[in-house]
Amino acid sequence: VEEEPIAFETVYMPDPDLELDQQRVLQQGHAGTLARQVRVRYEDGVEVSRALEGEWVAVQPEPQVVAYGTRIVLRSLQTPDGEFLYWRKLRALATSYSPLTAGDKQPGDARFGLSGTGTEVVRGIVAVDPRVINLYTKMYIPGYGTGQALDVGGAVKGLRVDLGYSDEYLVPWNNWVDVYLLLPVPPPDQIIWRLPE
């Protein structure tokens, strides 16, 4: 009889008492066991045949259950640009771009210099992954200032933001930053409750 582990699944459950972006394990997961009965024939100590005679789950895997927070807490942020109220803070890789460095459109193209939402690319336009930050979300990024999610990009995936500039004032970025999502809080059905790892 041969055995091999069966991986357990992770199940996520919302918890209104837990703050947004916090998690806690409610139940530890345990791997299961798959058993196979194999008939092996040896001749003179050498294996000459092998046949599977049966297969069954000897131990069922137990899922891991993780609660994720859905309670939104408003906080105040003091900045050189004034005080802001934010509802979520996340850590993201910040890069930067301008119309000429975006690479997908060239001068003369009808949409050159425009974001995915049709806004002119200047400082304050931020490209995001809409699966992480909704389009039109207002935000504050230390060292950059206020911005709004008005663009997307092929390379902007997961916890990443691409900070827009005009060509003449482009500042290169390639570092991890705190991104503060400002009011208003989106409706519950538009909030990405669980951020990617």
Side-chain angles (χ1 to χ4, degrees):
V1 175
E2 300 175 346
E3 294 184 344
E4 70 175 68
I6 304 172
F8 62 81
E9 296 181 341
T10 301
V11 178
Y12 293 93
M13 298 176 55
D15 184 343
D17 296 323
L18 199 59
E19 191 174 327
L20 182 66
D21 296 329
Q22 302 295 314
Q23 292 187 350
R24 72 166 170 247
V25 176
L26 301 178
Q27 173 184 298
Q28 290 288 348
H30 296 284
T33 304
L34 179 68
R36 291 190 184 94
Q37 183 166 322
V38 181
R39 183 175 296 275
V40 183
R41 184 174 169 209
Y42 294 89
E43 290 181 5
D44 297 325
V46 178
E47 181 181 323
V48 294
S49 67
R50 176 177 288 254
L52 178 66
E53 294 194 338
E55 182 177 274
W56 66 95
V57 176
V59 179
Q60 287 284 353
E62 294 182 23
Q64 179 159 287
V65 180
V66 178
Y68 63 88
T70 59
R71 182 167 58 91
I72 293 174
V73 178
L74 299 183
R75 290 189 167 85
S76 174
L77 177 67
Q78 299 293 335
T79 78
D81 302 312
E83 181 181 1
F84 295 99
L85 282 176
Y86 68 95
W87 62 275
R88 178 179 243 168
K89 174 179 138 180
L90 51 89
R91 193 90 176 140
L93 176 64
T95 52
S96 57
Y97 75 110
S98 69
L100 282 173
T101 62
D104 56 346
K105 298 181 271 294
Q106 298 301 317
D109 291 351
R111 293 190 52 80
F112 176 76
L114 298 180
S115 72
T117 59
T119 312
E120 181 185 3
V121 174
V122 292
R123 187 181 182 118
I125 302 297
V126 181
V128 300
D129 182 345
R131 296 170 303 170
V132 176
I133 299 174
N134 293 324
L135 285 173
Y136 303 100
T137 297
K138 294 178 181 177
M139 64 192 75
Y140 180 84
I141 299 163
Y144 182 75
T146 56
Q148 191 170 12
L150 293 172
D151 206 355
V152 294
V156 182
K157 300 294 182 198
L159 292 170
R160 180 172 171 186
V161 292
D162 208 6
L163 308 177
Y165 287 90
S166 57
D167 288 316
E168 60 270 32
Y169 295 113
L170 177 61
V171 176
W173 284 70
N174 190 18
N175 52 290
W176 289 86
V177 297
D178 290 327
V179 178
Y180 298 87
L181 305 188
L182 307 179
L183 296 181
V185 178
D189 64 337
Q190 295 178 21
I191 294 175
I192 295 94
W193 294 106
R194 287 179 45 239
L195 295 174
E197 298 295 327

